Amino acid sequence: MYIVPEREIAGLLTRADAYRAVESVFASMARKSAYNFPVIREAIGHADALYGFKSGFDRDALTLGLKSGGYWPGNAAHGIPNHQSTVMLFDADTGRITAVIGGNLLTALRTAAASSVSIRHLARKDAKVLGMVGAGHQSTFQLRAALEQRPFEKVVAWNRNADKLAALATVAEEAGLPFDSVSPEALGAQADVIITIASASEPLLMKDWIKPGTHLACMGTDTKGKQEVDSALVAAARCFSDEIAQSTTIGECQHAVADGSIGPTDIVEIGAVINGADEGRRSDREITLFDGTGVGLQDLAVAASVLERAVERGVAVSVDF
Ligand code: NAD
């Protein structure tokens, strides 16, 4: 088996690689060639940690494995990231372990790739202003990936603490784009594409603030009880997700489903749009919303791509196991 250490990941996976891997596995999911197993997530009663597994199998790519991951809120005080992820891949023919791969940077890259896939397939072609809600660890990855999908001319952003917006401003500046720190209302009034990547449990954006034709990629809500947008906005939008079962239970759509304003059949798998089985956006005035809940198959897809390259370049550590 191989070990690919976390420190090697940055040199092994480009944003374009992550995009290709995630788009392809979403397409496989919609063809029913790939499926995610039930997610395990537990508060372990130690160090205030949340710990769990996301796993699945892609029969087309023969990618089988799991991501073990969790959140240790006290880690930052020891100089290590609060989120900790490790991917394990197994041989689909024999069940033998093939690799253990650092999963921290992979998580950020595969999450940014998911919103980026949604922007490519669902945003209006003439989108000019990109709005960012949230300015934590994931946000700069999200912004960099999104900027590659449309010729955006401006970035507007809101975060609960405006002083955290500096990192997003730097990314916009590097891309040669003007950047404004704005209120959520002003963000909705200007943005053609909005990415929400905060960690909130109440709506940060209301339906009446959003322009017709906007595409929203809602990425922060990945747990029961979290919420970033008004459920009336979800109900007004044409909704897409990575996986409908997660979307209705732990994703942004959970609230609109719970209050009865939408049902699971109102949500389209993004893979169906990629495969051409669904038309996607139907008009320039339609609001489209991608509920990116984060599925194990995304992790496995990017990890498989990293493993291949790590072996090619001789940076995978071979272990007799
Ligand atoms: P982070 O802790 O680094 O940043 C959190 C952000 O949310 C900050 O901008 C913070 O100011 C803001 N925030 C916190 N509480 C808030 C509140 N009550 N109201 C408004 N804003 C609030 O986290 P991160 O690593 O950047 O992750 C952001 C979110 O994305 C988290 O909720 C995380 O669970 C989620 N996430 C989703 C996926 C996925 O695949 N969908 C993957 C990774 C992370």
Side-chain angles (χ1 to χ4, degrees), residues 74-222:
N75 279 5
H78 307 294
I80 52 175
N82 289 351
H83 284 99
Q84 287 295 326
S85 299
T86 306
V87 180
M88 300 175 87
L89 296 177
F90 297 86
D91 181 339
D93 295 318
T94 62
R96 282 170 61 94
I97 188 160
T98 50
V100 174
I101 301 168
N104 292 348
L105 179 58
L106 282 186
T107 299
L109 291 169
R110 66 74 144 146
T111 305
S115 63
S116 178
V117 166
S118 85
I119 294 167
R120 171 166 307 179
H121 290 279
L122 296 170
R124 288 190 342 262
K125 295 278 183 288
D126 65 348
K128 302 263 186 300
V129 179
L130 175 61
M132 298 293 305
V133 173
H137 177 69
Q138 303 289 332
S139 65
T140 50
F141 294 92
Q142 292 283 328
L143 177 55
R144 283 199 175 90
L147 290 177
E148 289 169 347
Q149 296 306 331
R150 291 289 183 271
F152 289 109
E153 294 174 0
K154 183 180 179 185
V155 178
V156 292
W158 175 83
N159 190 57
R160 196 170 56 159
N161 317 101
D163 50 338
K164 278 187 140 193
L165 291 170
L168 287 174
T170 303
V171 174
E173 196 179 302
E174 282 166 10
L177 297 178
F179 178 90
D180 275 349
S181 161
V182 294
S183 68
E185 293 93 324
L187 187 144
Q190 292 186 58
D192 303 304
V193 172
I194 299 174
I195 298 176
T196 62
I197 186 74
S199 183
S201 51
E202 58 199 33
L204 306 173
L205 289 176
M206 306 309 286
K207 171 176 167 281
D208 294 344
W209 303 346
I210 305 302
K211 294 192 298 184
T214 300
H215 173 65
L216 294 111
C218 298
M219 306 304 296
T221 298
D222 56 357

